[in-house]
């Protein structure tokens, strides 16, 4: 295969339209993310039809901005990568179709990228020579996975959520507390002011590597029903946000610690939108320090959905598997490739 350097990545799986130019799977030359948060905020969640239409309008300008900010053009691109799943079908189709068209025009390969694998690369692109095995905690709005990474493309799913994803729980609790959408960053902000020990919310699924957040969310709802005054008292919502966050982070940390021991991991890797949470970041760094491991956290701008992680994962997939045929479609319910259910 000819030498590949510059990959253009596109991400349109949910409510972010993103394009990035990444060299050699690690050097981010431009990463543009256009969030549709304002369009979906009044509905309290992502509306698939609105998302697809917005992607259609935004994908052209976002790609143009990525080229402008990198001082580059389509002629200098060696491959085009796009997220092909999991995600919203109509939204995925926009990015994949645009990527195939751009690849055809430029006469370069197209590569379809799994969104979950890409979140791993949001962290891994910082240190591609990482000594394996590592354990990754992938926490986003749609997924909560504990993964042993034995090699590139060699994954073992050690645990996953049996109900809500971690980000979903943050968003639902935020709604109960009257915060805006998306709720995760708001819970994080209020939790900095509140007391994490104000309410002792349950730590679920002790003794298992699987996660559960539905009971924790219900416990918050029941507490608010019994104590409606906290919604209007000074620091009331801050205390609930901090106490919920402490219970969620404790659960994530406990399972990450057990998984790291199980596979004798060199490094704890954290990625996905919830990896932007300040309490979770400190907890993982502290866990790594106390157990003599390294911590590799996706930088904040590469935690939530972005296209730099797609371009990086695409670069590596091209090395291992070669181009994806243009006849390949999308897979809205794709699992992490190479992993056992
Ligand atoms: O990875 P992502 O952008 O999209 C998916 O692939 O799902 O993750 C979005 C999720 C949302 O649930 C959002 O509330 C959460 O990440 N999130 C956070 C924080 N920033 C984003 N959750 C907790 N604390 C944060 N600071
Ligand atoms: Zn994501």
């Amino acid at each position: 295969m000819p030498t590949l350097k510059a990959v253009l990545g596109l991400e349109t799986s949910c409510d972010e339209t993103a394009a990035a130019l990444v060299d050699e799977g690690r050097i981010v030359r431009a990463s543009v993310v256009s969030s549709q948060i304002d369009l979906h905020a009044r509905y309290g969640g992502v509306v698939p039809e609105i998302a697809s239409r917005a992607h259609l309008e935004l994908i052209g300008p976002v790609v143009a901005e990525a080229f402008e900010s990198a001082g580059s053009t389509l002629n200098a691109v060696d491959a085009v990568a796009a997220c092909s799943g999991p995600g919203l079908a109509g939204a995925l189709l926009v990015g994949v179709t645009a990527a195939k068209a751009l690849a055809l025009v430029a006469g370069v390969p197209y590569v379809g990228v799994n969104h979950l694998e890409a979140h791993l690369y949001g962290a891994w692109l910082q240190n591609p020579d990482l000594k394996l095995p590592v354990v990754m905690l992938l926490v986003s709005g749609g997924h909560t996975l504990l993964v042993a990474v034995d090699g590139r493309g060699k994954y073992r799913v050690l645990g996953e959520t049996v109900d809500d994803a971690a980000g979903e729980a943050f968003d639902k609790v935020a709604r109960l507390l009257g915060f805006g959408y998306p709720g995760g960053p708001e819970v994080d902000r209020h939790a900095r002011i509140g007391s994490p020990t104000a309410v002792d919310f349950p730590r679920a699924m002790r003794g298992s590597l699987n996660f559960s957040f539905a009971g924790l969310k219900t416990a918050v709802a029941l507490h608010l029903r019994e104590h409606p005054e906290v919604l209007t008292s000074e620091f009331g919502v801050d205390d609930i946000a901090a106490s919920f966050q402490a219970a969620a982070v404790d659960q994530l940390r406990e399972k990450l610690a057990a998984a790291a021991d199980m596979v004798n991991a060199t490094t704890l890797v954290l990625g996905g939108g919830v990896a932007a949470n300040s309490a979770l970041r400190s907890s993982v760094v502290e866990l790594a320090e106390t157990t003599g491991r390294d911590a590799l956290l996706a930088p904040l701008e590469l935690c939530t959905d972005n296209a730099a992680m797609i371009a990086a994962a695409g670069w590596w997939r091209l090395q291992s598997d070669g181009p994806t045929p243009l006849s390949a479609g999308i897979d809205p319910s794709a699992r992490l490739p190479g992993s056992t259910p």
Side-chain angles (χ1 to χ4, degrees):
M1 194 157 78
T3 316
L4 286 166
K5 190 178 170 210
V7 176
L8 167 66
L10 304 184
E11 157 65 39
T12 63
S13 68
C14 191
D15 60 344
E16 261 95 29
T17 315
L21 284 158
V22 177
D23 282 353
E24 288 160 11
R26 69 180 80 180
I27 303 152
V28 182
R29 295 182 51 209
S31 178
V32 178
V33 180
S34 173
S35 173
Q36 306 173 6
I37 282 173
D38 295 347
L39 293 176
H40 301 283
R42 74 170 115 150
Y43 304 102
V46 177
V47 183
E49 176 65 18
I50 294 177
S52 321
R53 284 168 187 242
H55 285 309
L56 266 179
E57 284 171 19
L58 291 165
I59 193 76
V62 164
V63 169
E65 196 182 326
F67 279 126
E68 197 183 318
S69 116
S72 185
T73 65
L74 188 58
N75 293 332
V77 159
D78 298 314
V80 186
C83 171
S84 55
L88 302 168
L92 289 166
L93 277 171
V94 177
V96 164
T97 309
K100 288 177 181 174
L102 288 166
L104 271 175
V105 170
V108 297
Y110 156 76
V111 59
V113 169
N114 179 285
H115 186 83
L116 303 172
E117 181 172 50
H119 270 304
L120 166 61
Y121 278 93
W124 208 351
L125 62 68
Q126 298 172 97
N127 183 0
D129 304 321
L130 198 63
K131 199 164 161 280
L132 301 171
V134 303
V135 156
M136 158 135 196
L137 178 62
L138 197 170
V139 271
S140 73
H143 295 86
T144 304
L145 291 178
L146 251 183
V147 184
V149 180
D150 299 317
R152 291 199 188 272
K154 285 195 192 141
Y155 311 121
R156 273 178 292 146
V157 176
L158 305 174
E160 56 192 318
T161 183
V162 298
D163 41 52
D164 293 350
E168 207 177 339
F170 271 87
D171 294 337
K172 285 178 176 170
V173 166
R175 205 181 307 176
L176 292 171
L177 294 173
F179 302 159
Y181 167 83
E186 284 294 296
V187 171
D188 195 347
R189 197 168 63 78
H190 283 270
R192 282 173 217 210
I193 310 163
S195 161
T197 53
V199 186
D200 187 18
F201 288 125
R203 272 63 175 163
M205 303 290 285
R206 290 245 143 105
S208 157
L209 290 181
N210 286 328
F211 304 86
S212 168
F213 293 99
L216 174 56
K217 179 210 65 191
T218 305
V220 174
L222 287 175
H223 183 86
L224 291 174
R225 198 179 300 165
E226 281 161 23
H227 304 278
E229 70 284 357
V230 299
L231 288 171
T232 47
S233 68
E234 197 185 8
F235 305 124
V237 289
D238 306 322
D239 283 346
I240 302 297
S243 300
F244 156 76
Q245 184 173 277
V249 169
D250 272 2
Q251 186 189 155
L252 294 167
R253 177 199 164 106
E254 185 180 305
K255 281 134 210 308
L256 178 60
D261 284 347
M262 203 175 105
V263 305
N264 207 6
T266 63
T267 307
L268 308 178
V269 181
L270 184 62
V274 183
N277 184 267
S278 56
L280 180 59
R281 293 178 85 80
S282 328
S283 180
V284 170
V285 168
E286 202 246 341
L287 175 64
E289 276 168 11
T290 53
T291 55
R293 298 190 161 92
D294 292 327
L296 184 67
L297 278 48
L300 285 181
E301 68 279 10
L302 299 187
C303 287
T304 43
D305 291 348
N306 65 86
M309 67 182 194
I310 302 290
W315 190 83
W316 286 102
R317 276 285 161 193
L318 278 164
Q319 316 293 318
S320 61
D321 303 0
T324 305
L326 291 181
S327 55
I330 55 161
D331 185 356
S333 51
R335 295 181 64 86
L336 188 64
S339 62
T340 40

